[in-house]
Amino acid sequence: MSELPTTPSSDANPLRQMLLAREATLGENMLIRRLLPHRQRRMIGAWCFFDHAGPADVSQGPGVRVGPHPHTGLQTFSWMVDGEILHRDSLGYEQLLQKGQVNLMTAGRGIAHSEESPAQRSDVLQLAQFWIALPQDKRFIEPAFEHYPELPRLTHQNALLTVLVGEFMAQRSPVVVYSDLVGVDITTTQPTQLDLPLNPRFEYGLAVLTGHAQADGQDLTPGSLLYFSPGQSHLTLNITEASQIILIGGAPFNENIFLYWNFVERNKAEVLESIRLWHETDHFGVVKNYDGPPLAAPKLT
Ligand code: MN
């Protein structure tokens, strides 16, 4: 095993946390690992939600079916690792998301969408889905949707890096976000040791989707997220087998969010108002052509 990276003298003891996922069900039948939010770590930068779905066999049955539901105050960022998902939203977008592509939905003041496995699909589905909290001055922007069929890629020390969000090793993702963030997919087909530059202003999280790696003497396997506090300028990752790994990071988000169901607000009163708007008004618009009922918000007491 390699020597651990030396931490900068300005921060001799950056905080490390190993966060273990909770298992949950997405829609009707998809097992997912929820890595964020975590009781011990609500956010990493503006990243406030991280689900790892699959890999799962969706060749039989309905696959993923998540009926129309609203969002506010966030961007949903969907990274398709394997397979396909069909997105529909209340702006009228209908977009198939395929392996290696990103869907970015900016909820702003409010949008509704559905997600489902298309009838014609691959046998295996694997998806990393994130939420990015919008800062105060962008919380109420108009909703928007963008599909990114390709993202910048580079090879580095036998790994294929895809820059999902922000800038990494001089490559910049076209994905539009509203705070200082980075997201990188690291894919290897063989064991390798990777030296990665970090931004000392950022906090980071490292999650193995498939495979195995070691960082800072910690074993990383699917279902765990290793957190690093700011103050570190590089990371050595010892990848021991063919693996797919996600690195997320960002400047600490200096606002207290109130996350409930699919809403990112600032307090309970705002959540109650969003629930009311969803159940009683057409504020979020209508998702057309989804074959099923909209989802109801769980009661907030
Ligand atoms: Mn959603």
Side-chain angles (χ1 to χ4, degrees), residues 249-260:
F253 194 77
N254 293 318
E255 297 176 43
N256 285 316
I257 65 168
F258 192 107
L259 191 159
Y260 184 78

Side-chain angles (χ1 to χ4, degrees), residues 136-196:
Q136 180 62 29
D137 65 340
K138 302 291 182 188
R139 285 172 64 198
F140 304 108
I141 60 176
E142 289 301 308
F145 174 82
E146 265 167 297
H147 174 69
Y148 297 94
E150 316 191 343
L151 294 150
R153 297 189 161 202
L154 63 140
T155 52
H156 176 59
Q157 297 169 337
N158 292 320
L160 176 64
L161 308 187
T162 305
V163 183
L164 304 175
V165 170
E167 188 174 324
F168 196 77
M169 297 186 74
Q171 299 283 324
R172 173 158 279 280
S173 164
V175 170
V176 175
V177 295
Y178 297 95
S179 52
D180 252 356
L181 283 184
V182 71
V184 182
D185 178 286
I186 301 161
T187 298
T188 63
T189 55
Q190 58 190 321
T192 187
Q193 183 174 303
L194 270 186
D195 296 299
L196 300 173

Side-chain angles (χ1 to χ4, degrees), residues 282-295:
D282 61 0
H283 173 84
F284 292 95
V286 174
V287 180
K288 293 201 176 98
N289 300 324
Y290 181 82
D291 182 21
L295 306 183

